[in-house]
């Protein structure tokens, strides 16, 4: 009878413990599932609010991911707390582990920090033509670790964010207009006034060149082999290279038609009479 009574008590304890911990496990699972659903809903709400405010897509994606991660950390801690796990100690252990991981991954984390700066201060956005980190191209993506460029010859260049933020950034797409500068040289024997008038006519005839500010043409230098003109004109940023190349070609063709020479570097050598006789 005593053995049966003891076995009955042990099974009662097992059942009681099973019920208690089973409820805790079910509660933890419920907290996790419900918390995950709430985290997704709140993340969508935050993203839609930012999109409604016309925030850049890169920033929307970044903030949405950060919100979701933070909410999921809270959900996991709540689920563990429901199981009876001492979350205070758990947070301390995670903090120590995070510090160790951070020291081991300083370079990687510096890229993450640089990504935050790029997204917050937005020196450029996806689609801009940018020179940064030793490369130049159209920005295709800004992620947590790198910025992806597509160069003019269709190569993909992946640059660490720390390299991008650590140097000069030149954004050629930031402004709607850009100024083109040319230097054209003519011979010393050519008609200077005719050459200047010709350059002005070429610039004024191009509809892509802005009338305000007006194109500028002036003599800039009396060089060793040529008289140099500086020409400046404002165009829409997308028209920059087309106008640049077309104008150089047009100047050469019109100068040839009007007999205006474009000299090349040359050197006159004068020999002494005695040396020439020898």
């Amino acid at each position: 009878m005593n053995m049966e009574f003891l076995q009955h008590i042990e099974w009662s304890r097992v059942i009681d413990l099973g019920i208690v911990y089973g409820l805790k496990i079910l509660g933890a699972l419920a907290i996790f599932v419900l918390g995950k659903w709430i985290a997704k809903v709140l993340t969508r709400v935050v993203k839609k609010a930012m999109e409604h405010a016309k925030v850049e897509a890169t920033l929307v994606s970044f903030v949405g991911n950060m919100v979701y991660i933070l909410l999921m950390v809270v959900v996991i801690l709540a689920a563990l707390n429901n199981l009876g796990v001492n979350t205070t100690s758990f947070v301390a252990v995670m903090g120590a582990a995070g510090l160790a991981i951070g020291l081991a991954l300083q370079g990687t984390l510096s890229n993450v920090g640089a990504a935050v700066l790029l997204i917050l201060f937005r020196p450029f956005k996806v689609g801009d033509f940018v020179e940064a980190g030793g490369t130049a191209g159209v920005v295709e993506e800004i992620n947590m670790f790198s910025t992806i460029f597509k160069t003019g010859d269709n190569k993909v260049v992946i640059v660490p964010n720390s390299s991008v933020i650590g140097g000069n950034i030149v954004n050629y797409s930031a402004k709607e207009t850009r100024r083109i500068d040319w230097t054209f040289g003519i011979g010393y024997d050519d008609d200077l006034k005719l050459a200047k008038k010709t350059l002005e006519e070429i610039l004024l005839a191009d509809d892509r060149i802005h009338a305000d500010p007006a194109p500028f043409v002036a003599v800039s230098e009396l060089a060793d082999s040529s008289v140099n003109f500086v020409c400046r004109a404002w165009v829409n940023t997308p028209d920059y290279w087309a106008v640049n190349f077309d104008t150089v070609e047009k100047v050469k063709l019109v100068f040839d038609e009007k007999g205006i020479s474009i000299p090349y570097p040359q050197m006159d050598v004068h020999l002494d009479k005695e040396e020439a006789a020898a």
Side-chain angles (χ1 to χ4, degrees):
M1 293 294 293
N2 290 334
M3 290 296 296
E4 292 179 358
F5 180 73
L6 290 175
Q7 289 177 355
H8 177 72
I9 292 175
E10 289 178 356
W11 276 109
S12 297
R13 288 180 179 178
V14 171
I15 293 171
D16 290 339
L17 289 174
I19 292 173
V20 171
Y21 284 102
L23 291 174
K24 287 186 176 181
I25 292 172
L26 290 175
L29 289 174
I31 290 173
F32 180 79
V33 173
L34 182 61
K36 186 176 181 180
W37 178 78
I38 293 174
K40 288 182 177 180
V41 172
L42 290 177
T43 302
R44 284 198 297 267
V45 170
V46 171
K47 285 185 174 182
K48 286 182 179 179
M50 296 180 70
E51 290 171 355
H52 183 70
K54 297 182 179 179
V55 178
E56 187 192 349
T58 305
L59 184 58
V60 172
S61 177
F62 177 78
V63 173
N65 291 335
M66 292 301 296
V67 169
Y68 182 73
I69 291 171
L70 291 175
L71 290 174
M72 286 305 299
V73 169
V74 174
V75 169
I76 292 171
L77 290 176
L80 291 174
N81 187 61
N82 189 74
L83 287 173
V85 178
N86 188 348
T87 54
T88 303
S89 301
F90 185 73
V91 170
V93 171
M94 286 189 64
L99 178 61
I101 294 172
L103 292 174
L105 300 175
Q106 289 183 12
T108 301
L109 293 179
S110 67
N111 289 326
V112 176
V116 174
L117 294 177
L118 289 173
I119 292 171
L120 289 178
F121 293 102
R122 291 189 291 176
F124 54 81
K125 62 182 184 297
V126 173
D128 286 352
F129 185 84
V130 174
E131 182 179 342
T135 189
V138 177
V139 179
E140 288 199 320
E141 181 183 347
I142 306 170
N143 57 47
M144 294 295 293
F145 303 104
S146 61
T147 300
I148 301 176
F149 294 90
K150 183 177 74 174
T151 63
D153 54 353
N154 210 32
K155 292 186 295 187
V156 174
V157 181
I158 301 173
V159 182
N161 287 329
S162 57
S163 298
V164 174
I165 204 71
N168 294 335
I169 299 174
V170 182
N171 189 342
Y172 294 99
S173 303
K175 300 297 183 181
E176 295 181 355
T177 59
R178 286 183 64 186
R179 193 184 75 185
I180 308 178
D181 293 3
W182 298 276
T183 298
F184 298 109
I186 66 170
Y188 274 91
D189 295 331
D190 292 310
D191 189 331
L192 186 145
K193 291 184 177 180
L194 175 62
K196 183 177 180 179
K197 182 180 179 182
T198 301
L199 290 172
E200 290 174 343
E201 290 175 348
I202 291 172
L203 297 180
L204 292 173
D206 195 328
D207 294 334
R208 296 168 295 179
I209 293 178
H210 293 183
D212 184 22
F216 174 79
V217 179
V219 177
S220 62
E221 183 184 13
L222 300 177
D224 294 337
S225 304
S226 63
V227 178
N228 292 336
F229 287 91
V230 61
C231 302
R232 295 171 180 167
W234 287 89
V235 299
N236 294 331
T237 299
D239 295 331
Y240 181 90
W241 288 111
V243 174
N244 181 49
F245 295 141
D246 290 347
T247 301
V248 173
E249 179 180 348
K250 187 69 173 177
V251 167
K252 177 65 171 71
L253 294 174
V254 175
F255 273 18
D256 288 346
E257 291 177 2
K258 296 189 175 184
I260 302 172
S261 65
I262 300 177
Y264 49 85
Q266 54 186 322
M267 179 182 296
D268 293 334
V269 179
H270 301 276
L271 297 176
D272 187 74
K273 292 182 179 181
E274 295 181 357
E275 293 179 357

